[in-house]
Amino acid sequence: MSQQADIQPGVPEPPPLLLRGVVEAALREDLGWGDVTSESLIPADLAAEAVMVARGDGVVAGLPVAREAFHAVDPRLDVELLARDGETVGAGRPLLRVAGRARAILSAERVALNFVQRLSGIATLTARYVAAVAGTGARIVDTRKTTPGLRALEKYAVRCGGGHNHRFHLGDALLLKDNHRMALAAAGVSLIEAVRRARAALPHTVTIEIELDSLDQLEETLAAEPDTILLDNMPPETMAEAVRRIGGRARTEASGGITLETVRRAAEAGVDLISVGALTHSAPAFDVALDFNV
Amino acid sequence: MSQQADIQPGVPEPPPLLLRGVVEAALREDLGWGDVTSESLIPADLAAEAVMVARGDGVVAGLPVAREAFHAVDPRLDVELLARDGETVGAGRPLLRVAGRARAILSAERVALNFVQRLSGIATLTARYVAAVAGTGARIVDTRKTTPGLRALEKYAVRCGGGHNHRFHLGDALLLKDNHRMALAAAGVSLIEAVRRARAALPHTVTIEIELDSLDQLEETLAAEPDTILLDNMPPETMAEAVRRIGGRARTEASGGITLETVRRAAEAGVDLISVGALTHSAPAFDVALDFNV
Amino acid sequence: MSQQADIQPGVPEPPPLLLRGVVEAALREDLGWGDVTSESLIPADLAAEAVMVARGDGVVAGLPVAREAFHAVDPRLDVELLARDGETVGAGRPLLRVAGRARAILSAERVALNFVQRLSGIATLTARYVAAVAGTGARIVDTRKTTPGLRALEKYAVRCGGGHNHRFHLGDALLLKDNHRMALAAAGVSLIEAVRRARAALPHTVTIEIELDSLDQLEETLAAEPDTILLDNMPPETMAEAVRRIGGRARTEASGGITLETVRRAAEAGVDLISVGALTHSAPAFDVALDFNV
Amino acid sequence: MSQQADIQPGVPEPPPLLLRGVVEAALREDLGWGDVTSESLIPADLAAEAVMVARGDGVVAGLPVAREAFHAVDPRLDVELLARDGETVGAGRPLLRVAGRARAILSAERVALNFVQRLSGIATLTARYVAAVAGTGARIVDTRKTTPGLRALEKYAVRCGGGHNHRFHLGDALLLKDNHRMALAAAGVSLIEAVRRARAALPHTVTIEIELDSLDQLEETLAAEPDTILLDNMPPETMAEAVRRIGGRARTEASGGITLETVRRAAEAGVDLISVGALTHSAPAFDVALDFNV
Amino acid sequence: MSQQADIQPGVPEPPPLLLRGVVEAALREDLGWGDVTSESLIPADLAAEAVMVARGDGVVAGLPVAREAFHAVDPRLDVELLARDGETVGAGRPLLRVAGRARAILSAERVALNFVQRLSGIATLTARYVAAVAGTGARIVDTRKTTPGLRALEKYAVRCGGGHNHRFHLGDALLLKDNHRMALAAAGVSLIEAVRRARAALPHTVTIEIELDSLDQLEETLAAEPDTILLDNMPPETMAEAVRRIGGRARTEASGGITLETVRRAAEAGVDLISVGALTHSAPAFDVALDFNV
Amino acid sequence: MSQQADIQPGVPEPPPLLLRGVVEAALREDLGWGDVTSESLIPADLAAEAVMVARGDGVVAGLPVAREAFHAVDPRLDVELLARDGETVGAGRPLLRVAGRARAILSAERVALNFVQRLSGIATLTARYVAAVAGTGARIVDTRKTTPGLRALEKYAVRCGGGHNHRFHLGDALLLKDNHRMALAAAGVSLIEAVRRARAALPHTVTIEIELDSLDQLEETLAAEPDTILLDNMPPETMAEAVRRIGGRARTEASGGITLETVRRAAEAGVDLISVGALTHSAPAFDVALDFNV
C-alpha cells in the first residue's frame, strides 16, 4: 500500500438514508424468517463481544455500513469503529468492535462482513492502481461497471482507495462513444453539429466527453470542443501523441483494458484520467472475519 | 473449460418476478432522469441491431436477465438469446441479439452487460473448480458470501457453472459453527443436548450441519447425529482421516480458504462437498461487449 | 389447553425487520390520512393507560407485534408485555399494558388487536391439535395454506401453539405430489430416475418428500429413497399399514382433511408428522380487547 | 345459500393496480428463489391444463385474484373464469380453467388457491348471515377486524357475499366509542359540544356514528344528531326499545358478539345495520382445489 | 389575513408514518449519493444553528414536515418549532430553529424549505378565500386537483388555512358528474334508479353528491335524494335560485372557476360549500428561508 | 407564446420506468379501494371516447404521463397523443384522445389531468420567461425548488417550455453559497484553498459554481476559478459590472427574486443563465379538461 492511499481517511460517509436502504434489503435477503441456528442454540439473553479483524493487508472501506447492519438487527448493540474507511491496514488489525446480545451479533455478522469484504476489496485494488501511478498526476477513476444496486457504495469505496469517480449514471454527463458516432453518421449529422446541439440543450452543469478511437478523428473531435477526450484502447505512444496534439484544450482520459502492469505507461503518456472497470467489476474480496468473545 | 460444465444448460431460470425486481432497481440506478447522451445525439426513431459477444472463454450466465433489462427499457425491443445460460463459450461467440430503437438499446446496454459480466464471471470460476475435482464425486458449493441484493442470481450463476448451492439464508438450515459452540459452552449446554433440542423445535425439512475444527471434537459431533459435518480449515490428510472416521454417518463438507490449487486434494480426501466463498466474492468479471450495427 | 402447549413460551420472536415491515403496512392500511375520530375528539395531550385483555381461553401469540404497532404510531408509548407468546391464558388475563398519549393508543388499537386475535387464534387451534395427539410422538405441522403476506407470522403462531413448521416456501424443500407424478408419467420419466436427478441438482440442505396416494405406489416410492413420505387422504388402518411397511426408512407425514376428531387416530397410526391446513386457513380469531383507563 | 346471495355477481372487481400489488407480494413470499419441485421434476416445455373446482357449497370470491396470480407467474397462461365472484356454487363446480406451461401453473397454484379459499370463505359466511336476516331489511356489514394487508380484498369478499361494507379505515368516518366518551368526560367536554366541533372541522363527506352502551345515554346521543347510532352489546328487546325511541332520527347499527344464531333477532329489533367481526376474522376457508390434466 | 384563519392552530398533524414516507422519498430525490458541496467544504464536525424565517405574510403549514426532514438526515439535530401550523405570520417571523452538525442542516435545508413553501402557500391562499367569505357561513373546500403524491399533505395545508376537505379519493364519496349522467342516459337508466341502486350497494358511510348543470335538472336531482348538490359553473343569481328551490333538502356546493373576486358572491348565494381547485393546483409558494449562524 | 417556445417539441420523454413509478403512486393515492362512483353508475361494458382539450393558451407538457395513467388503469385503452409536449397550443386544442371502457377512462381521468395541468403550467410559465429574454442569449434555468417527488418531471416540463435545467440534486454539481462561505470562514479555510481541495476530490464531471453577494468578493471568487459565478440578488447595473469584470472567465448566472417584469433587464446585463424558482414553485395550473362522448 502506498502512503498516498493513506490520506483518504477523510472521505465523507454516504448519506445515512442510502445506507439504511441497502442494509435493510441485505438483511431481509439473509435473515429470512429468522436465524434458525442462533435462535435454536444461543440463549436469548447471552451477551457477547466480537471484533472485526483484517485478515490481510489493504485499504478498509464499509465500516459504517457494517455498523448500520448491526444496528438494523438490534439498535441496542454497542458498535465502535476502530479504523476509518480509507485507512491502510495490515493483517490482524481490529476494525470494529460490537457488543451486546450474542444472537443479534451472530444474525448480523454475515451481512456486515459481506459489505466490508466487498468494499474493502474495491478500495484495496484502487489503492494499488493509485500507487502505481504515483507522481504522474494522473487520476484513477471508476466506471459504470458496478454491481447492480451497489453503485453509490462501490464508488464510495473507490474514493476510499484514493481513486476518483467518473459519472454516476447516464443522466449526469454526456459521453459520446463509437456507437453514438456511428449513429450520427447514419443520421447524417456531423459530430460538431451534434455536440453543438447537445450543449444548447443540456444543463450547463453537464460536461461533455468524446471518445477517440484513432488519431484520424482528433481534429474533428477537438473542433467539437469537448470538456474531456477519451482515448480508447490506444498504445501508450499513440496516447502520448494524442495528449501532445490536444495540448490542454481538453482533459484527457485513457480507457480500455488497462491493468496494473500497463497503468503506469498510460499515466506517463500524460493523460489526466485513467478509467479502470476492474476496480469495481473484478476486485477480489478483502479478507475480514469477526472474532467472538462470548 | 471442462465438458462437465457443458451439461448445465438446462438450469431453470430464476422466477420472472425476481428478475424484474432486480433489473428495475438496476435501471433506476443507472438511468436517473434519462440517458442524456442518447437523448441528445440519437434520433428518436433510429433503428439499430446489436449483438452481445463474449470476449473471452468461459461459462455464460445471466442472458435472461439481460433480456429482462432490454425489455424493461422498451418492451418492443426484439431480443433473441443465442446461447443458453450454463453453456461454455469461446471468445467471439454471439450470446444475444437485440433489435429496435437505438436509444433504448443504448440506454439498457450497461445494465444488461453488468449482469452478464458478473454472473458469467461467477459461472466461469465455478466451472473451473468443478473441472478441478472432476471424477472425485465431490460437489463444489457456494456460501452466503454473496453480493448484498444479488444472492438468488449469484447462486443461480453457481448452478450455471456446474456448482451446487448451500443454504440460501439463515432460515433454511442450521449450521453450528465455532462461535455457537463457544456460546453453548458459556451457557453450560452440551452439544448433544443442544442439537437434540434444536431438532425437536425445527421443521423436519431443516437439516443440521456442525462445524468441526479438530478431530478432538469428532466423537461428540457424531454423537449429535448431524446431517452434515463441516471440516473447517483442515489439512488434506486430517480431512481424509475425519472422512474415514465419520464413515458415511454424515455428509462431509470441506471449507476454509480452498483455492483452485488445493481443491483437488480436498476432493480426494473424500469429502462430499467443498464450499468456496471465492465463487461469489472474488470472481473476476467475464468480458462481454455489445457490438452495434446502426 | 394442554400442559404441553405451555412449554412453548421460549419461542424466539420473528426478526424485528420483518415485524416492522408487516406492521407499518398494516398501519398505513388502517390509518389513511389520519384517525379522524381521535383527532376530532381527544385532546392532543390527554394521557391514557390501556390493558389488552384476553376474553377467552387459549394460547396467546403476537404480543411483540402489538408492541411494534404501538411504537410505530408513537415511539414514546410505554409498552409492557404481561404475558409471553406461547403461554396458555384464561379469560380476563391481562396481556399487555400501554401508556402514553391517548390519541396514539387509540390510533394503533385496531391494528394491534388484529394481529393478536389472528395469531392467538392460530396458536390456540394448534394447541388443541397438539393436545389431541399428546403422548403419541406425532408432530402437528402447518402447510403453505397461509394468509398471503403473513406467512412468517402465521408459522410463528403455529410454533407458539406447540406445533411445528413445514416448508416455508417452494424454494426450501421438494414435495412431489400427484400432479408431479402425472407430469413425470406424461414425460416418460420414472419416479426413481426423477428423484435421482433432483437430488443430483438440489442443495444438500433440501430434503425430499413424496406423496403416496395408495399402497400400490409404496415400493416405487421407497425405492426413490425420500426423506419423508406423505400419506395423503388415507384411512387410519391404511396409514398404519403404510407406516409398518415403511419401517423407519423414511419419516412419515399424514395429510388430507384431518380434523380434531380424526387427528388422534392418525397419530396412533404411527406417523411422525400430521399436517393440518386448518391451523392457518380456518382458525377462528381469539377474542382480545383493549380496556382503557383515561 | 339463499337466493339473495345469488344477486351479487355484478360486484365490480377491485382495481387491477391493487390486485397486482397484493398478488406479487404473495408470490414473492411463496416462490422464494424458485419452485424447486417443479423445476426439478417437470420438463420446461410440458403443457398442462387445470381446473379450479369447488369442494363444497358456498359463494365464490377471488377468481380475478387467482387469474392475476397465474398471469404474474407467466403472462402467457390462458386463464378463463368459469364462475363469477358472488355466485353461489356447489361442490364439484368448475370455477376457473388455466392452460399453458405446467411448471408455471404448479408454481402459481398455491397462491391462487390461498386467495380463493380465504375470500370465498368470507363470502360464504357473509351469505349465511345475509340469508339469516332475509326479509328484515337489515344490512349485514363488516368491521375493521380484517387481516392486515388484505382489507380491501376482504371487504370486497363481504360484498360478494351480499354483505355491505362499513368504513374502510380510520380516516373515512367518525365512530365515537365508549373510550372516546370516557376521554371526553376526562377532558370535561360534553358529547354534544364535541360532536358539534367535529362536524365543524370534518369534511362534509364524513358521516358521524355514536356508540350507545345503555339507554341512559340515548337522549344525549340523539341531541348530538349523529348520522348513525351504534347499539353495542344490547339484548334484542333493549335494542328494539332503542330503535323505537330513535324513531328514524338516525340510522341504527347493532354490534357486539352477534352470531348466526342471534342475528335474526337483532334484525327483527328493527336495526338498519348489523356489524359482524366474524365475517372477516373467523370465516373458515372455503375448500377449493386445482385438478390437473397434464 | 383574517382572524378566522388564526383559529386553526389546533389542526392535528398528519400521522408520523405518512410524514416519514413522503419525507424520505423527497430526501432520496434531493440527496442522491451525497451533498457534494457540504461534504467538500464543510468540516465534518462544524456545528451550526439556523432559523427558518418567513419572508412574507401568510399562514404557515408544514413545520412538522420540515422537522421530520431534518431528523431523517440526522436524528441528533435539535429542532424546535417556533410557530404552529395554521398560525398567521408576518415577514421576519422565526418559524423553526435547528441546531447541530452544519453539514446535516445544509443537506436537509432544501427539502425542508420545499415542503414549507408549498404547504404554506396553500394554507395562505386558502386563508384568503376563507376571509373573503367571512360571515356567510360558507365553507371553502378543496378538490382532488392536488399534486400527485402529496394529497394528504396538501389537504392538511388546506385545513391549516381554515378551509375544509372534500373527498380524499375516488373510494370515499360518490360524486355524480355530467359524464356519469351522460353514461346513464346512454345505458337507459334513470338518475333516480341509478342513485337508488348505488345507495343500496354502497357503505352507509359513503355520502352521495350530484352535479347540477342547469335548473332544468333540479327536480329530478332532488328526487334522487342526494346528500349534497353540486351547482357547477352557475352565475350567482342562478345559484341563489337553486339554493332557494333546494330549500335545505340537500347540502349545496358551488364549483367551477370561482376566484377570489367571485367567491363572496357565490357565498352570498347561500351555498354551504365552495370548492376551489386553485387552492392546491395554483397556490404560489410562500417565501421562507433558512438563516444560518455558523 | 413566442415562436421560440415552439421549437421544443423534440424534448425526449422521461424514461418509462420513471413515469410508471410516479403514475402508479398517483393512482394508488387517488383510486383507493375503487372508484365508487363509476363502479356504481357506469355499466361495466359501456364504451366511451374522450378528448383532453386545452382550456387556455400555453405550452403543453405531460401528455405521455397522461397516456401512462390511462394504460396503468387499463392497458387496453386506446390512447392517441394529438399534440407533442413542448408545443404551443390555444384554447380548444385537442391534446389526447382516449377510447375504451368508460369506467377505466373515468377512473384515470383526474390523475391524467393533474399531471398535465401541473406540468403544462410549468412549461407555460417557463415559455413566458424564455420569450421575455428572446434575443439576449440568456438561458432561463430552473432550481431545486421543485415539488417533492416530482423533480424529474418538473424539470422535464421546464425543458418543454424552452427553459434549461440546473443541477438535479445535491450530488451532481458543487454550488458554494453564502452559508458555505461563512462556514469556511469559521473553519479558517480560504475560498481558494477550499475550492482547490474540492476540485482535487470531486469527479471531473462535476462543475463548480460560486455565489457572489457583492462585487467585493469578485476577485477572490475569480481566483478560485469556478466554472460558473452566481450573481445573487444584484441590481441590473451591478450585475452588468460583474459580468464585465468577469470577462468570460466563468459562466455567469443571475438569481434572486427575478420576475417576468425584471427578467429582461437581468438578461440584458449580459448573464448567461437566469435561474427562476417560480418556474416550479409558483406556476399556476394550466387549464385542461376531458370531454366525453359516451
Side-chain angles (χ1 to χ4, degrees), chain A:
Chain A
M1 292 303 98
S2 75
Q3 278 179 291
Q4 213 162 335
D6 223 307
I7 57 171
Q8 308 310 127
V11 178
E13 292 182 12
L17 268 179
L18 190 153
L19 288 189
R20 201 192 314 156
V22 177
V23 163
E24 292 192 354
L27 284 166
R28 287 210 171 83
E29 183 184 62
D30 193 44
L31 270 177
W33 43 83
D35 172 357
V36 297
T37 306
S38 299
E39 291 169 7
S40 300
L41 303 173
I42 311 291
D45 53 358
L46 184 71
E49 187 189 69
V51 176
M52 192 182 287
V53 180
R55 291 278 171 89
D57 299 339
V59 176
V60 72
L63 297 179
V65 194
R67 180 181 52 203
E68 184 76 28
F70 286 115
H71 281 153
V73 168
D74 183 349
R76 290 160 307 170
L77 289 179
D78 181 35
V79 182
E80 186 188 359
L81 304 196
L82 306 176
R84 284 175 309 171
D85 275 10
E87 207 175 328
T88 300
V89 300
R93 168 70 186 274
L95 305 174
L96 174 154
R97 197 189 63 87
V98 53
R101 289 194 312 119
R103 269 192 195 170
I105 299 174
L106 284 161
S107 293
E109 174 186 11
R110 186 72 262 148
V111 165
L113 290 172
N114 280 356
F115 278 111
V116 173
Q117 74 186 14
R118 172 158 201 85
L119 299 179
S120 301
I122 291 172
T124 298
L125 182 59
T126 302
R128 295 181 64 196
Y129 276 89
V130 170
V133 302
T136 64
R139 280 183 176 196
I140 299 300
V141 301
D142 55 28
T143 64
R144 283 168 44 245
K145 297 180 180 180
T146 56
T147 310
L150 296 186
R151 182 165 293 168
L153 288 185
E154 294 191 345
K155 285 186 166 263
Y156 163 75
V158 166
R159 298 197 297 277
C160 290
H164 284 75
N165 297 140
H166 206 300
R167 62 178 170 169
F168 271 75
H169 60 47
L170 289 168
D172 66 355
L174 186 149
L175 179 37
L176 189 158
K177 297 196 179 174
D178 56 345
N179 291 326
H180 304 101
R181 222 184 256 269
M182 284 166 60
L184 290 175
V189 182
S190 77
L191 183 77
I192 294 168
E193 174 61 13
V195 171
R196 194 197 59 74
R197 284 189 206 162
R199 250 198 225 288
L202 288 175
H204 66 281
T205 56
V206 170
T207 56
I208 291 183
E209 180 161 355
I210 305 182
E211 181 181 302
L212 199 70
D213 296 313
S214 96
L215 293 184
D216 299 346
Q217 301 166 325
L218 185 54
E219 290 316 310
E220 189 192 20
T221 299
L222 278 169
E225 298 184 15
D227 299 286
T228 307
I229 293 178
L230 177 63
L231 308 172
D232 194 39
N233 267 315
M234 286 186 182
E237 49 279 19
T238 316
M239 222 183 264
E241 166 74 8
V243 170
R244 208 180 50 248
R245 284 169 59 182
I246 291 165
R249 281 174 289 174
R251 244 181 257 106
T252 51
E253 172 181 345
S255 81
I258 290 163
T259 63
L260 268 173
E261 284 65 45
T262 62
V263 68
R264 181 142 197 114
R265 267 175 300 155
E268 288 172 345
V271 295
D272 300 304
L273 310 152
I274 302 173
S275 57
V276 183
L279 300 185
T280 49
H281 72 51
S282 295
F286 179 73
D287 198 2
V288 280
L290 197 65
D291 295 339
F292 275 77
N293 305 307
V294 181

Side-chain angles (χ1 to χ4, degrees), chain D residues 139 141 159 163-169 171-173 198-207 209 228 251 253 273, chain E residues 139 141 159 163-169 171-173 198-207 209 228 251 253 273:
Chain D
R139 282 183 174 195
V141 302
R159 298 197 297 276
H164 283 76
N165 298 139
H166 207 300
R167 62 178 172 170
F168 271 75
H169 60 46
D172 65 356
R199 251 199 224 287
L202 288 175
H204 65 282
T205 56
V206 170
T207 56
E209 181 162 354
T228 308
R251 245 182 258 107
E253 172 181 344
L273 309 152
Chain E
R139 281 184 174 194
V141 301
R159 297 197 297 277
H164 284 75
N165 297 140
H166 207 299
R167 62 178 172 170
F168 271 74
H169 60 47
D172 65 355
R199 252 200 223 287
L202 288 175
H204 66 281
T205 56
V206 169
T207 56
E209 180 162 355
T228 308
R251 245 181 256 108
E253 172 180 345
L273 310 152

Side-chain angles (χ1 to χ4, degrees), chain F residues 55-119:
Chain F
R55 290 277 172 89
D57 300 340
V59 176
V60 72
L63 297 180
V65 194
R67 181 182 51 204
E68 184 76 25
F70 286 115
H71 281 152
V73 168
D74 184 350
R76 291 161 306 171
L77 288 179
D78 181 37
V79 182
E80 187 188 358
L81 304 196
L82 306 176
R84 285 176 307 173
D85 276 10
E87 207 175 327
T88 301
V89 300
R93 167 71 186 274
L95 304 174
L96 173 156
R97 196 189 65 86
V98 54
R101 290 193 312 118
R103 270 193 195 169
I105 299 174
L106 285 160
S107 293
E109 174 186 10
R110 186 73 262 148
V111 165
L113 290 172
N114 280 355
F115 278 110
V116 174
Q117 74 186 13
R118 172 159 201 85
L119 299 179

Side-chain angles (χ1 to χ4, degrees), chain F residues 7-192:
Chain F
I7 57 171
Q8 307 311 127
V11 178
E13 293 182 11
L17 268 179
L18 189 152
L19 288 189
R20 201 192 314 157
V22 177
V23 163
E24 292 192 354
L27 283 166
R28 287 210 171 83
E29 183 184 62
D30 193 43
L31 270 178
W33 43 84
D35 172 357
V36 298
T37 306
S38 299
E39 291 169 6
S40 299
L41 302 173
I42 310 291
D45 52 359
L46 185 71
E49 188 189 69
V51 176
M52 193 182 286
V53 180
R55 290 277 172 89
D57 300 340
V59 176
V60 72
L63 297 180
V65 194
R67 181 182 51 204
E68 184 76 25
F70 286 115
H71 281 152
V73 168
D74 184 350
R76 291 161 306 171
L77 288 179
D78 181 37
V79 182
E80 187 188 358
L81 304 196
L82 306 176
R84 285 176 307 173
D85 276 10
E87 207 175 327
T88 301
V89 300
R93 167 71 186 274
L95 304 174
L96 173 156
R97 196 189 65 86
V98 54
R101 290 193 312 118
R103 270 193 195 169
I105 299 174
L106 285 160
S107 293
E109 174 186 10
R110 186 73 262 148
V111 165
L113 290 172
N114 280 355
F115 278 110
V116 174
Q117 74 186 13
R118 172 159 201 85
L119 299 179
S120 301
I122 291 172
T124 298
L125 183 58
T126 302
R128 294 182 65 196
Y129 275 89
V130 170
V133 302
T136 64
R139 280 183 177 197
I140 299 299
V141 301
D142 55 28
T143 65
R144 282 168 44 245
K145 297 180 178 179
T146 56
T147 310
L150 296 186
R151 182 165 292 168
L153 288 184
E154 294 191 344
K155 285 185 167 263
Y156 164 75
V158 166
R159 298 197 297 276
C160 290
H164 283 75
N165 297 140
H166 207 299
R167 62 178 171 169
F168 271 74
H169 61 46
L170 289 167
D172 65 355
L174 186 150
L175 178 38
L176 189 158
K177 296 194 180 175
D178 55 346
N179 291 327
H180 304 101
R181 223 183 256 269
M182 285 166 58
L184 291 175
V189 182
S190 76
L191 183 76
I192 293 167

Side-chain angles (χ1 to χ4, degrees), chain B residues 105-266:
Chain B
I105 299 174
L106 285 160
S107 294
E109 174 186 10
R110 186 73 261 147
V111 166
L113 290 173
N114 280 356
F115 277 110
V116 173
Q117 75 185 14
R118 173 159 200 84
L119 298 179
S120 301
I122 291 172
T124 299
L125 183 58
T126 302
R128 295 182 64 196
Y129 276 88
V130 170
V133 302
T136 64
R139 282 184 175 193
I140 298 300
V141 301
D142 55 28
T143 65
R144 281 168 45 244
K145 298 180 179 179
T146 56
T147 310
L150 297 187
R151 181 165 294 169
L153 289 184
E154 294 191 344
K155 284 184 167 264
Y156 164 75
V158 166
R159 296 198 298 276
C160 290
H164 283 75
N165 298 140
H166 207 299
R167 61 177 172 171
F168 270 75
H169 61 47
L170 289 168
D172 65 356
L174 186 150
L175 179 36
L176 190 157
K177 298 195 179 175
D178 56 345
N179 292 325
H180 304 101
R181 223 183 255 268
M182 285 166 58
L184 291 176
V189 180
S190 76
L191 182 76
I192 293 168
E193 173 61 12
V195 171
R196 195 196 59 73
R197 286 189 205 163
R199 251 198 224 288
L202 288 175
H204 65 280
T205 56
V206 170
T207 56
I208 291 184
E209 181 162 355
I210 305 182
E211 182 181 301
L212 197 71
D213 296 313
S214 94
L215 293 184
D216 299 346
Q217 302 166 325
L218 185 54
E219 290 316 310
E220 188 193 21
T221 298
L222 277 169
E225 299 184 15
D227 298 286
T228 308
I229 293 178
L230 178 63
L231 309 171
D232 194 39
N233 268 315
M234 285 187 183
E237 48 279 18
T238 317
M239 222 183 267
E241 166 74 8
V243 170
R244 208 180 51 249
R245 285 168 59 183
I246 291 167
R249 282 175 287 173
R251 247 181 255 108
T252 51
E253 173 181 344
S255 80
I258 290 163
T259 64
L260 269 173
E261 284 65 45
T262 61
V263 68
R264 184 148 194 107
R265 265 175 300 155

